[in-house]
């Protein structure tokens, strides 16, 4: 894959500042050799015809470039370092090769960027700018070879560090465009939530302001090449499905449900005692109508295709693991999470969703396919799902074993003792506060992962001594079809002297919220469902509210 202008531009920013980009004085495509300033120019290969003829992306480096040549002298790393950008002779290395590029610097099509590698290794730069991985470039390089590199520890560490850094840069080079209204909590990986007031304007959260919690760079997936693999407990592939097959061979099913990040309302926990985790206000939750194929239908079909009965295939299965196509380049791991098999078997609403609010999924929301498991913490709604693995054990991924568990300390024993978070408890939050004199209009959301629906929301302005019922707004879905949907609510309170208003909800299974954040405090700041309090005078945006 050749990284073209936009991506190169994105990767170059810091370097471009250091070395203002000059138009290359000699270009591969337009400059015949005879125009070049040095008649003795040794890289005759640099002419267009030759270059085009040997243009071969992802070519393997020539032996004369990368490997040791016994007839050439050994040059220790310390000596190469001395041939930096200010030296009279500029050296670079690639693999085991040392090259004198002094006369090439001015001719380099990428301008003086080449000096970033002066006295150093080219390897990470060539990974980062893959246009170099071509046969004709290697030929040019072999013409400049002067010796064999003898590495020292410092050299090895520097190359490793730079390679990892560039690989991450490259992975983040093609992220989706995002709505300006999102409050960005982290750029890499991208996490963002909408301003709280926007969140409760409509029953379904608009796709472009729906909170985003990525764990890695957003993968670039070609829908024509996308394949979903189903793997049985023995590690055998039962089925591979293209996106088209998923969309056409299974009945399309839709569910309106909220999805909430485990860390929603984390910042309130910091006031009790600092927690470890990214900042989230009340907006790491959203409600949408998701459509796709039912997981159970796909599993049934997978069993049939492999000539077995679904009961037989599911016999030893205790957990269903979902692996995403997003990948951490530094550790070469994919995001993965699992849910107990009872969760999937018991619900026709567990979907392999390809639509969100009537549109195809956006890249930040898992295009082309994400898992939707109504009621369960957002971390299990794996985006960009590529593999579904039926398993006897929970996912062994970091996010299942060492994250998304409610622990009081961050040691291994605490994680092992705590169950992974699955169904979310009843929660509510005040998102919009409008004050007119003593009258305060409140608007917020309430949700319960129990799937029984929200029974009641109440608000108070006297620190919970008395409560007033809020009005629950309709979800727009048929009765019984919206039990996993959140409820937007509104209330009007007469506030005499109080500065603080609060809300609490009860679900239809009579689960209630705890009164104080301290009751649910935990070291990672997860699953905060305490009564939500907002200071009225300051309350414009509940994301900033204490
Ligand atoms: C001796 C080492 C190097 C050689 C032989 C070399 C050679 C080349 C060649 C032949 C091209 C044109 C490729 C094409 O059009 O297909 C090119 C482009 C480029 N090189 Fe290098 N390069 C070297 C080092 C570097 C380094 C260290 C960097 C960055 C730090 C770099 C950055 C670039 C960039 C950004 C371009 C694209 C320029 C454009 O299209 O405008 N190069 N290089």
């Amino acid at each position: 894959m050749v990284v073209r202008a936009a991506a190169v531009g994105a990767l170059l920013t810091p370097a471009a500042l250091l070395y203002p980009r000059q138009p290359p004085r000699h270009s591969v495509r337009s400059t015949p050799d005879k125009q070049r300033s040095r008649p003795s120019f040794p890289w005759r290969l640099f002419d267009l015809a030759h270059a085009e003829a040997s243009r071969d992306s992802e070519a393997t480096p020539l032996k004369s470039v990368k490997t040791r040549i016994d007839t050439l002298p050994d040059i220790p790393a310390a000596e190469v370092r001395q041939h930096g950008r200010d030296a009279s002779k500029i050296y670079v290395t690639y693999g085991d090769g040392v090259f004198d590029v002094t006369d090439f610097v001015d001719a380099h099509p990428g301008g003086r960027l080449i000096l970033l590698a002066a006295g150093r290794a080219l390897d990470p730069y060539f990974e980062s700018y893959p246009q170099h991985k071509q046969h004709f470039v290697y030929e040019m390089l072999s013409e400049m070879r002067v010796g064999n590199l003898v590495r020292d520890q410092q050299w090895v560490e520097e190359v490793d560090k730079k390679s990892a850094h560039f690989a991450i840069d490259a992975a983040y080079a093609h992220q989706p465009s995002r709505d300006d209204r999102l409050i960005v909590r982290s750029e890499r990986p991208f996490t963002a939530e909408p301003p709280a007031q926007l969140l409760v304007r409509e029953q379904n959260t608009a796709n472009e302001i729906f909170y985003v919690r990525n764990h890695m760079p957003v993968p670039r997936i070609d829908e024509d090449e996308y394949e979903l693999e189903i793997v049985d407990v023995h590690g055998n592939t039962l089925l591979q499905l293209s996106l088209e097959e998923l969309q056409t061979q299974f009945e399309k099913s839709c569910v309106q449900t909220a999805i909430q990040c485990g860390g929603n309302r984390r910042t309130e926990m910091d006031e009790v005692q600092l927690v470890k985790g990214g900042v989230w206000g009340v907006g790491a939750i959203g409600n949408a109508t998701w459509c796709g194929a039912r997981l159970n239908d796909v599993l049934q079909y997978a069993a049939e295709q492999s000539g077995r009965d679904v009961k037989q295939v599911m016999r030893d299965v205790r957990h269903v693991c979902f692996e995403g196509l997003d990948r951490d380049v530094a550790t070469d791991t994919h995001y993965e999470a699992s849910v107990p098999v009872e969760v999937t078997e018991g619900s026709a609403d567990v979907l392999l969703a390809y639509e969100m609010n009537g549109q195809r999924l956006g890249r930040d929301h898992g295009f082309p396919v994400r898992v939707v498991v109504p009621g369960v913490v957002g971390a299990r709604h794996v985006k960009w799902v590529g593999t579904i693995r039926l398993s006897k054990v929970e996912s062994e991924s970091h996010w299942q074993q060492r994250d998304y568990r409610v622990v009081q300390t961050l040691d291994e024993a605490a994680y092992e003792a705590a169950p992974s978070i699955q169904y979310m408890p009843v929660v509510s939050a005040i998102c919009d506060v409008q004050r007119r004199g003593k009258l305060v209009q409140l608007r917020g959301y309430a949700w319960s992962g129990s799937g029984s629906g929200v029974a009641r929301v109440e608000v108070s302005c006297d620190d919970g001594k008395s409560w007033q019922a809020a009005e629950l707004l309709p979800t727009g879905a048929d009765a019984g079809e919206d039990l996993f949907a959140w409820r937007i609510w509104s209330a009007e309170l007469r506030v005499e002297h109080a500065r603080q208003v609060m809300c609490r909800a009860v679900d239809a299974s009579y689960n209630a919220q705890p009164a104080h954040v301290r009751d649910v405090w935990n070291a990672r700041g997860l699953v905060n469902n305490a009564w939500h309090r907002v200071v009225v005078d300051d309350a414009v945006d509940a994301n900033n509210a204490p």
Side-chain angles (χ1 to χ4, degrees):
M1 181 191 65
V2 175
V3 178
R4 279 296 159 209
V8 168
L11 290 169
L12 291 183
T13 315
L17 292 174
L18 274 173
Y19 302 93
R21 182 85 175 268
Q22 305 166 351
R25 275 177 252 166
H26 305 282
S27 132
V28 172
R29 292 179 188 80
S30 60
T31 310
D33 271 352
K34 60 180 179 341
Q35 287 177 17
R36 295 202 175 110
S37 50
R38 292 179 182 81
S40 60
F41 202 60
W43 13 95
R44 51 193 176 276
L45 301 167
F46 209 62
D47 73 71
L48 182 66
H50 188 106
E52 290 300 337
S54 61
R55 211 168 273 274
D56 174 15
S57 69
E58 296 290 321
T60 313
L62 300 173
K63 278 198 175 152
S64 54
V65 171
K66 266 221 132 171
T67 50
R68 202 190 144 71
I69 299 176
D70 287 338
T71 50
L72 290 176
D74 284 350
I75 306 179
E79 191 183 325
V80 177
R81 278 188 210 102
Q82 286 168 6
H83 289 273
R85 51 179 311 190
D86 296 325
S88 57
K89 289 256 164 227
I90 298 169
Y91 284 5
V92 298
T93 71
Y94 190 59
D96 290 334
V98 180
F99 308 87
D100 179 346
V101 296
T102 318
D103 292 334
F104 175 66
V105 170
D106 285 343
H108 175 234
R112 297 181 72 78
L113 270 173
I114 188 175
L115 290 178
L116 285 177
R120 295 179 169 167
L122 280 174
D123 309 55
Y125 294 99
F126 275 22
E127 286 304 316
S128 178
Y129 303 107
Q131 64 268 61
H132 293 100
K133 293 162 104 181
Q134 303 187 65
H135 192 74
F136 84 95
V137 178
Y138 296 131
E139 282 188 333
M140 287 167 61
L141 209 47
S142 71
E143 299 262 324
M144 300 182 243
R145 178 105 187 224
V146 291
N148 299 314
L149 170 68
V150 182
R151 297 173 180 81
D152 56 22
Q153 188 59 22
Q154 184 190 339
W155 189 274
V156 173
E157 281 168 15
E158 271 176 18
V159 172
D160 283 354
K161 202 167 145 205
K162 205 166 272 322
S163 301
H165 177 77
F166 282 154
I168 291 166
D169 269 4
Y172 277 103
H174 302 282
Q175 298 304 280
S177 57
R178 283 140 180 161
D179 195 290
D180 288 343
R181 292 168 297 174
L182 284 171
I183 303 166
V184 177
R185 299 300 189 191
S186 147
E187 285 286 354
R188 291 180 175 197
F190 188 78
T191 65
E193 65 183 299
Q197 284 172 307
L198 281 190
L199 196 56
V200 289
R201 292 220 175 128
E202 290 172 86
Q203 173 65 15
N204 275 355
T205 315
N207 295 5
E208 57 277 13
I209 59 158
F210 203 100
Y211 88 91
V212 179
R213 199 313 181 210
N214 297 338
H215 293 85
M216 298 168 185
V218 175
R220 286 203 295 171
I221 300 170
D222 179 339
E223 63 188 285
D224 294 329
E225 286 178 15
Y226 171 79
E227 266 193 350
L228 175 65
E229 189 181 9
I230 317 283
V231 178
D232 74 7
V233 271
H234 308 294
N236 303 319
T237 299
L238 292 175
L239 183 67
Q240 280 177 314
L241 279 177
S242 68
L243 180 62
E244 199 189 344
E245 285 166 334
L246 191 75
Q247 289 173 329
T248 55
Q249 293 188 11
F250 302 90
E251 188 189 340
K252 179 166 146 186
S253 179
C254 297
V255 61
Q256 189 192 128
T257 181
I259 298 182
Q260 182 183 214
C261 176
N264 192 32
R265 296 181 52 195
R266 173 176 284 137
T267 43
E268 296 164 53
M269 284 208 183
D270 280 338
E271 284 157 33
V272 178
Q273 191 184 325
L274 278 185
V275 298
K276 183 173 171 280
V279 170
W280 282 122
V282 298
I285 182 171
N287 193 78
T289 300
W290 308 88
C291 296
R294 290 186 205 98
L295 175 65
N296 288 341
D297 291 353
V298 173
L299 293 180
Q300 164 110 27
Y301 181 73
E304 284 165 14
Q305 291 299 301
S306 67
R308 283 186 282 167
D309 179 75
V310 72
K311 282 199 183 125
Q312 196 189 347
V313 168
M314 300 302 286
R315 186 177 300 135
D316 296 326
V317 177
R318 298 288 168 270
H319 299 269
V320 182
C321 305
F322 305 108
E323 185 184 287
L325 291 166
D326 45 342
R327 177 176 156 266
D328 182 81
V329 286
T331 56
D332 195 23
T333 40
H334 290 266
Y335 183 81
E336 193 186 290
S338 66
V339 294
V341 71
E342 304 81 60
V343 172
T344 61
E345 283 186 336
S347 170
D349 288 330
V350 177
L351 300 183
L352 299 170
Y354 43 78
E355 266 181 36
M356 177 180 183
N357 291 330
Q359 297 164 24
R360 65 187 207 162
L361 292 179
R363 284 186 63 208
D364 263 331
H365 297 293
F367 174 83
V369 181
R370 84 174 294 174
V371 180
V372 171
V373 197
V376 161
V377 63
R380 318 288 175 224
H381 297 235
V382 174
K383 302 194 271 192
W384 316 286
V385 61
T387 306
I388 299 176
R389 202 172 302 109
L390 304 173
S391 172
K392 293 180 186 174
V393 292
E394 254 191 322
S395 164
E396 281 163 13
S397 76
H398 166 82
W399 303 274
Q400 196 80 20
Q401 301 294 332
R402 292 285 178 275
D403 199 357
Y404 298 106
R405 292 182 182 215
V406 172
V407 288
Q408 299 308 308
T409 52
L410 295 171
D411 50 280
E412 209 157 295
Y415 273 110
E416 271 162 24
S420 56
I421 302 167
Q422 296 294 346
Y423 284 112
M424 296 297 272
V426 60
V427 67
S428 65
I430 298 167
C431 296
D432 194 6
V433 182
Q434 304 289 334
R435 185 171 194 160
R436 282 183 207 88
K438 291 188 185 290
L439 282 185
V440 174
Q441 305 274 350
L442 302 176
R443 203 171 160 96
Y445 62 77
W447 180 63
S448 171
S450 71
S452 60
V454 172
R456 194 168 80 231
V457 174
E458 295 170 322
V459 292
S460 170
C461 61
D462 57 7
D463 205 27
K465 288 185 196 71
S466 65
W467 293 91
Q468 177 185 317
E471 182 193 354
L472 295 179
L473 306 184
T475 61
D478 292 341
E481 297 289 311
D482 55 1
L483 297 176
F484 285 107
W486 72 5
R487 298 300 293 269
I488 300 211
W489 55 264
S490 72
E492 187 175 84
L493 267 178
R494 192 170 178 81
V495 175
E496 295 292 341
H497 309 294
R499 288 195 65 226
Q500 194 180 67
V501 290
M502 54 172 98
C503 72
R504 67 180 187 186
V506 175
D507 73 16
S509 304
Y510 294 102
N511 298 303
Q513 295 181 239
H516 301 284
V517 174
R518 64 173 177 268
D519 300 335
V520 286
W521 185 93
N522 58 87
R524 288 283 280 113
L526 294 165
V527 201
N528 177 11
N529 72 327
W531 297 352
H532 187 227
R533 296 165 162 82
V534 169
V535 174
V536 177
D537 290 345
D538 305 343
V540 176
D541 179 343
N543 277 312
N544 302 320

